Amino acid sequence: MHRINCRHRFWIAMAALLGLGNAVQAQPATQCVDDVTTLTAQGEARIERPATHVDIHARFMERAQTSAAASNALEARFGPLLDRLRADTEKPIRLVAANASITPQWRYDDGDRTLAGFVATRMLRLTDVPVDEAGAWMQTLTDAEPDSLSLENYTARPEGGADAHPALAAAIRNARTRAETMADALGQSIGEALCIHEVSAPSPRPMRSATLAATGPDDATREPSIEPDTVTDHARVTVVFFLEPPSA
């Protein structure tokens, strides 16, 4: 008989613990009931919806030899616009205006650094703008001559009484259809859903859209035409159903 010393006992115990850990991890993540015959099915759905809201981002910049001159020039241009927007915006639109940032501009000549001036910058955002109003707001901001202007983060909001997560509901229906197909092939049927695991939640993908240029002799007076892409919701679920016993 071989003697097992303390070191050997330690490694045997560690191996047993690791084996137990692997056994636990090997259990299916969807195991939610015991002593019940179940059938597990995955469901997936993609739902495209027209965008209803969009964010508008604008940036304004002024350059001058001194920081005070750059700041004053920026405020002379930005301040009246901000006052007008504050007076005109109503819910659901939200106006967010960042504080001014001033950065020095350097010139390098043969390794020597010389201060060339200052740049004052302010960012402005209009969030949750209804798509059908975006053209008018873009025209207002365009008239203020921003240094950059963009449409970002298209989203789709459900109308009153509409399903807030259509892709999630469709994915669950898809899982039930797949489960019914599998059970039918066995000559059985499924019962109630015992548990549902959400693999990926509905997360509308932000979309960007270009402002379509107006054509014709009166381009300068026409509002931009905004045509956003659709917003796609994607959801995946795993559902465990009770599997009815076969008919006698």
Side-chain angles (χ1 to χ4, degrees):
M1 179 178 296
H2 297 285
R3 177 176 297 179
I4 301 176
N5 58 31
C6 292
R7 178 176 296 180
H8 289 162
R9 289 194 184 96
F10 171 78
W11 289 113
I12 292 173
M14 287 297 295
L17 288 174
L18 290 174
L20 179 60
N22 290 334
V24 171
Q25 292 177 3
Q27 293 180 358
T30 55
Q31 185 67 36
C32 58
V33 291
D34 295 324
D35 301 325
V36 175
T37 304
T38 62
L39 189 152
T40 301
Q42 291 189 342
E44 185 171 6
R46 293 180 183 271
I47 303 293
E48 289 192 351
R49 297 182 287 164
T52 58
H53 294 75
V54 65
D55 296 346
I56 302 177
H57 292 209
R59 181 176 63 177
F60 296 81
M61 302 172 61
E62 286 291 344
R63 295 174 174 81
Q65 291 298 314
T66 66
S67 60
S71 177
N72 292 337
L74 178 63
E75 288 308 310
R77 176 183 167 200
F78 190 87
L81 172 65
L82 184 58
D83 292 340
R84 178 182 173 185
L85 294 177
R86 284 172 173 166
D88 293 345
T89 53
E90 298 179 353
K91 292 183 178 180
I93 301 174
R94 294 190 304 115
L95 171 64
V96 180
N99 293 329
S101 64
I102 301 176
T103 56
Q105 300 294 294
W106 302 96
R107 181 186 301 113
Y108 293 87
D109 297 316
D110 297 330
D112 295 330
R113 188 176 73 166
T114 305
L115 182 63
F118 293 85
V119 175
T121 305
R122 287 198 74 171
M123 306 291 292
L124 182 148
R125 288 189 298 143
L126 291 172
T127 64
D128 299 329
V129 178
V131 168
D132 57 0
E133 300 177 15
W137 287 108
M138 287 289 287
Q139 186 62 58
T140 298
L141 293 171
T142 299
D143 292 342
E145 300 181 354
D147 291 271
S148 66
L149 182 62
S150 62
L151 294 165
E152 300 179 358
N153 302 327
Y154 277 96
T155 56
R157 309 288 176 81
E159 298 179 356
D163 186 358
H165 303 291
L168 188 58
I172 293 174
R173 290 193 295 269
N174 178 248
R176 172 171 283 279
T177 299
R178 293 166 64 91
E180 290 172 345
T181 300
M182 289 186 286
D184 185 64
L186 297 172
Q188 296 177 246
S189 61
I190 61 171
E192 62 181 349
L194 301 176
C195 61
I196 301 174
H197 175 62
E198 188 177 50
V199 180
S200 63
S203 54
R205 182 181 60 186
M207 302 296 294
R208 292 177 180 264
S209 177
T211 301
L212 302 184
T215 58
D218 56 343
D219 289 355
T221 60
R222 294 178 59 180
E223 291 182 0
S225 175
I226 309 301
E227 294 190 4
D229 293 324
T230 56
V231 174
T232 302
D233 290 339
H234 177 220
R236 287 192 299 140
V237 297
T238 300
V239 185
V240 178
F241 296 94
F242 174 74
L243 183 63
E244 302 283 357
S247 301

